[in-house]
Amino acid sequence: MRRVLILGGTAEARALAAALAEDPGLHVVSSLAGRVSNPRLPVGQVREGGFGGAEGLAAWLVEERIDALVDATHPFAERMTASAVAASSATGVPLLVLRRPGWRAGEGDSWQRVDSLQAAVTLLAARDRQRVFLTTGRRSLPLFASLPDVWLLARSVDPPEPPVPPNAHVLLARGPYTVEGERALIREHHLNVLVTKDSGGTMTAAKLVAARELGLPVIMVNRPPLPPGAHLVDAVEAAVAWVHDG
Ligand code: NAP
C-alpha cells in the first residue's frame, strides 16, 4: 500500500484527502498545524502539530515510510512549504505543491498590489482617516493597529492575542461569506479600504465583489514566491492524478 502525506489546513487539502480515500491502494495521512481551535477535519487519518522544521519533517517521512508528499497548505504558509521542499530533496520523497489560483482584478476593481504586509502598512500610513476591513489574519493585527490614523474591522477565525487594540473591532467568523453580508459589513462600519492577502478561492472572494460594487479600494498582498524546485498544480484533480501516476 502506498503511503501519502498531505500537508493541509485548506479546503483543497480536505478535498484531496476525500478523493484519495476512495482508493483502497492508498493510505492517506493529513497533517494540520494545530493552530485553529476547532478545525474542519479531513477524512481519514489526521495528525496535528509542527514537525520541527525541515529536518523533523524529513525524519517523519522516513519513519512513516511515506511514498508521496503533497503540500496543500495555504499559499501564505511559507515556512511549511519551504520545509516540504527541503525535506523532499533530503529524502527523495516526491513532492507536489497544490495551490489554488490567485485572484485577478477585473473591470471596476481598484486594487493595489503589494509584496508584503509591511508594504500594505506603509501604503495606509500615507493616507488619512482609513477605516480598514482587515482580513490578513489575526497575527497581523498589531502591525496595522500601530498606525495612528486608522480604525480596523479585523476579521479572523480565532481571536487575536489580547489585548485588542483600542482602534480595532474584532469580528470572529469563518467563511464562506456572501456578497450581501460583506456589503452590509462595509456599510455598517463605514469602511473605506479592504486589505487582504491573495488567498484565492471562492470561500472568501465575496468581499472583493462587494468592494467592487461599493467602489472600495483594495490593497492586495501578493503571495510569497514558491521555492525553486517545487512542482506546482492548481487543481485538486491534477493532484489526484499526480498521486495515482506516482
Ligand atoms: P507557516 O508559517 O508556513 O508554518 C509555521 C510552522 O507551523 C511550520 O514551520 C510548521 O512547524 C507548522 N505547520 C504549518 N502548517 C503545518 C501543517 N499543515 N502540518 C504540520 N505543521 C504545520 O504556516 P502558517 O501561515 O502558520 O499556517 C499554518 C496552517 O494554517 C497551514 O497548515 C495553513 O494551510 C493554514 N492556513 C494558513 C493561512 C495563512 O494565511 N497563512 C490561512 C488559512 C489556513 P514545524 O516547522 O515545526 O514543522
Side-chain angles (χ1 to χ4, degrees):
M1 185 170 291
R2 290 179 65 240
R3 296 171 63 81
V4 181
L5 174 64
I6 301 172
L7 302 171
T10 58
E12 290 73 24
R14 289 191 296 276
L16 179 61
L20 296 180
E22 288 170 18
D23 183 337
L26 295 176
H27 179 85
V28 178
V29 183
S30 293
S31 174
L32 301 177
R35 299 261 176 67
V36 177
S37 53
N38 185 18
R40 291 187 176 120
L41 290 176
V43 297
Q45 189 182 333
V46 178
R47 68 163 298 286
E48 279 196 44
F51 294 93
E55 282 169 20
L57 176 58
W60 199 93
L61 293 174
V62 172
E63 226 164 82
E64 297 291 324
R65 304 182 319 283
I66 298 298
D67 300 296
L69 173 62
V70 181
D71 170 20
T73 54
H74 191 271
F76 285 81
E78 202 174 354
R79 282 200 285 151
M80 191 66 253
T81 296
S83 275
V85 170
S88 163
S89 93
T91 57
V93 174
L95 166 69
L96 181 74
V97 179
L98 168 60
R99 287 276 177 285
R100 66 182 89 129
W103 287 316
R104 289 201 178 167
E107 217 181 307
D109 282 323
S110 165
W111 292 10
Q112 199 159 358
R113 285 191 171 270
V114 291
D115 281 333
S116 65
L117 290 168
Q118 186 53 58
V121 171
T122 305
L123 266 188
L124 286 177
R127 301 177 186 179
D128 298 328
R129 287 188 293 281
Q130 295 293 284
R131 294 186 63 83
V132 182
F133 189 4
L134 185 70
T135 65
T136 50
R138 60 186 163 142
R139 281 176 286 168
S140 61
L141 178 56
L143 200 61
F144 288 91
S146 65
L147 287 167
D149 197 11
V150 147
W151 185 86
L152 303 156
L153 178 70
R155 183 169 66 191
S156 56
V157 176
D158 280 320
E161 284 290 311
V164 172
N167 56 340
H169 175 73
V170 171
L171 178 63
L172 299 182
R174 195 195 301 239
Y177 303 104
T178 64
V179 176
E180 298 71 44
E182 302 293 54
R183 209 190 287 129
L185 270 184
I186 293 169
R187 287 200 168 124
E188 183 192 339
H189 296 281
H190 306 286
L191 304 171
N192 55 19
V193 60
L194 165 66
V195 180
T196 178
K197 296 195 274 195
D198 185 5
S199 300
T202 54
M203 297 256 285
T204 59
K207 61 191 169 192
L208 300 171
V209 179
R212 180 190 310 139
E213 286 179 4
L214 297 174
L216 207 71
V218 175
I219 298 177
M220 179 68 68
V221 181
N222 289 328
R223 297 171 170 199
L226 273 183
H231 176 36
L232 178 72
V233 295
D234 68 3
V236 172
E237 301 71 39
V240 171
W242 179 84
V243 171
H244 283 139
D245 291 349

